[in-house]
Amino acid sequence: MKLLKFHLRYHPPGIVLEYLQKGIVKNKDIDLLDLNSNSDTKAIANELYHKELLITEDVREQLEQCLETLKKRIEHEGPTGKRFYIYKTLHTHVLPLTNVCFDKTGQRCLSGSYDRTCKVWDVESGKELKTLSGHQNVVYAVGFNFPSCNRVLTGSFDKTAKIWNAETGECLATLWGHTGEVVAAQFNSKGDYVGTGSMDHLAKLYDSGTGAEIQTYAGHTAEVIALQFDPNEGQKLITGSFDGTISLWDTRVRDRVGVLRGHSGEISSVQYNWDSTLVGSASLDGSARLWDARQNTCLATVASHSDEVLDICFDWAGQRMATSSSDCSARVYDVRAEFKELAVMKGHREEVSKVCFSPAGGCLLTSSADRSARIWNTNTGNCIQVLSGHQGEIFSCAFSYAGDAIVTASKDNTCRIWR
């Protein structure tokens, strides 16, 4: 085995070893989830040198430089980091927007709308690249196939999902089979599967190449409104339902492999952490829960919000979890230390519908029915910046992968880019 080069992985922090083995180029990921501004990069390099056979004496200095670059990237985004300014307002949707997302490079973004279309935008110029037309009702779920981002997935109230060519706008496949609105849709990490969740109480698995249905996942007794593949292998799937439960599925078998019970109200959001060992859930019962994904047990329950919990997310390192609520606040918890509450974000005047961490984890982004989005310091809970200007409630928001841009989507029929 021969090491060819190091690759930096910014989010979550890590390095990728590209090496040659028997004439075949392979990659090995090394997670550095605890890397922060106080880390001793020489000590980490020394530890990796003794642990990894591929890392030899002659590349130690290069390894230290890579670790320093990673460390500076995290430091750069600290509480006093970048301020965001309105860069572009994207018009052309004729009805309110639903969900938005960036591609991996941050050069394109998607927007779904009640006008039955999904649009692909050029972030730099603000120009519309493609309009993906073909759905017969609201386009609710939108997403790219990471990391290549050459295909787009849409889920619609017309009871179908569609796969599109991101460059040409051509519809490559229509995913049939649901008898209710499709409100959740996602590619798995390898891009070979698509998962969908629907108001018909079912989730389905499709071959993303052919559009053929592979599995129908039955077991929920109410609408399936949240779905996520595990971030690494893409062979596990979680679904959240209005029946108050979270189901765990394996793409290789039809029957569910686990059920997480304990919430007394509808599930509003579910998410895996980075290594898929934990599941976070938010519920309209006013609580959020942390679950062990392997043991199917509840590790912690927090009920510090005074109203429905609407959204949940982990930071990239999987060490903290954030929640947003109808009580106009967001909260951050440490998932490693008895679910300790780290910060409370108060300032929105109406419900906070969406929450997401910046890629390096120093900031939290929230969107609200009060027509604003806000950026918060995740350590102190202080508001760093208010992103105002939308004329209607903000349904969705997202950071770009590099953390240098934000997109917000509103009931005012516009999408805004902040840089």
Side-chain angles (χ1 to χ4, degrees), residues 304-305 309 311 313 321-333 341-348 350-356 364-367 374 376-377 381:
S304 40
H305 285 291
V309 182
D311 195 28
C313 71
M321 192 173 86
T323 56
S324 67
S325 170
S326 297
D327 70 5
C328 310
S329 76
R331 294 170 187 264
V332 177
Y333 304 91
E341 186 174 275
L342 299 176
V344 181
M345 288 72 175
K346 291 184 176 179
H348 281 296
E350 294 188 46
E351 69 176 30
V352 182
S353 56
K354 188 78 176 174
V355 63
C356 52
L364 192 74
L365 174 64
T366 55
S367 64
R374 292 179 180 238
W376 312 80
N377 180 316

Side-chain angles (χ1 to χ4, degrees), residues 84 98-103 106 108-110 123 142 146 311 316 354-359 364-367 373-375 387 390 394-409 415-419:
F84 291 85
T98 53
N99 282 294
V100 287
C101 70
F102 283 102
D103 71 356
R108 294 172 298 170
C109 70
L110 298 176
V123 170
V142 297
F146 276 76
D311 195 28
W316 272 97
K354 188 78 176 174
V355 63
C356 52
F357 282 96
S358 61
L364 192 74
L365 174 64
T366 55
S367 64
R374 292 179 180 238
I375 303 168
L387 307 180
H390 278 294
I394 302 176
F395 289 133
S396 181
C397 61
F399 273 105
S400 64
Y401 176 78
D404 58 355
I406 287 170
V407 61
T408 53
C415 180
R416 288 185 172 223
I417 305 291
W418 310 79
R419 299 183 80 172

Side-chain angles (χ1 to χ4, degrees), residues 72-330:
K72 284 175 182 172
R73 182 63 172 265
I74 293 170
E75 289 172 339
H76 168 71
E77 199 217 52
T80 56
K82 174 180 176 62
R83 285 188 67 82
F84 291 85
Y85 301 92
I86 181 65
Y87 179 70
K88 298 284 181 183
T89 300
L90 311 181
H91 299 276
T92 75
H93 279 297
V94 295
L95 287 171
L97 279 78
T98 53
N99 282 294
V100 287
C101 70
F102 283 102
D103 71 356
K104 186 164 183 181
T105 65
Q107 295 173 354
R108 294 172 298 170
C109 70
L110 298 176
S111 58
S113 171
Y114 278 79
D115 67 11
R116 306 181 179 187
T117 69
C118 171
K119 292 183 184 287
V120 186
W121 303 88
D122 180 279
V123 170
E124 190 68 33
S125 67
K127 289 181 180 176
E128 178 188 322
L129 298 175
K130 292 293 171 187
T131 296
L132 309 182
S133 300
H135 282 296
Q136 303 303 307
N137 209 326
V138 176
V139 175
Y140 192 74
V142 297
F144 282 104
N145 62 322
F146 276 76
S148 53
C149 297
N150 59 358
R151 289 180 293 165
V152 171
L153 176 63
T154 54
S156 169
F157 286 5
D158 68 7
K159 306 174 187 177
T160 72
K162 290 179 182 286
I163 300 171
W164 313 78
N165 182 309
E167 301 299 324
T168 67
E170 176 192 2
C171 181
L172 303 175
T174 298
L175 312 181
W176 305 92
H178 282 294
T179 57
E181 296 91 335
V182 176
V183 292
Q186 187 186 42
F187 284 104
N188 74 337
S189 57
K190 295 180 180 177
D192 52 351
Y193 293 142
V194 163
T196 57
S198 168
M199 304 298 272
D200 64 8
H201 305 187
L202 300 174
K204 288 180 181 284
L205 183 73
Y206 297 88
D207 183 308
S208 68
T210 65
E213 183 181 314
I214 299 170
Q215 304 278 14
T216 294
Y217 297 127
H220 285 296
T221 57
E223 295 87 340
V224 177
I225 50 80
L227 170 149
Q228 193 199 8
F229 282 100
D230 72 277
N232 294 303
E233 296 301 317
Q235 291 185 332
K236 292 183 290 185
L237 187 66
I238 50 173
T239 53
S241 168
F242 279 175
D243 66 11
T245 70
I246 302 102
S247 290
L248 290 79
W249 313 87
D250 188 304
T251 58
R252 294 160 291 190
V253 296
R254 187 181 66 180
D255 296 329
R256 58 183 170 185
V257 295
V259 186
L260 308 178
R261 292 186 173 91
H263 284 293
S264 58
E266 297 96 326
I267 302 297
S268 54
S269 179
V270 293
Q271 193 175 35
Y272 274 114
N273 72 335
W274 166 250
D275 63 5
S276 311
T277 58
L278 301 173
V279 170
S281 61
S283 171
L284 303 190
D285 67 8
S287 74
R289 287 178 179 247
L290 184 70
W291 310 82
D292 185 313
R294 291 169 293 194
Q295 302 294 326
N296 296 348
T297 54
C298 182
L299 300 174
T301 303
V302 287
S304 40
H305 285 291
S306 59
D307 208 335
E308 299 169 339
V309 182
L310 303 176
D311 195 28
I312 197 166
C313 71
F314 287 100
D315 66 2
W316 272 97
Q319 297 173 352
R320 291 170 299 169
M321 192 173 86
T323 56
S324 67
S325 170
S326 297
D327 70 5
C328 310
S329 76

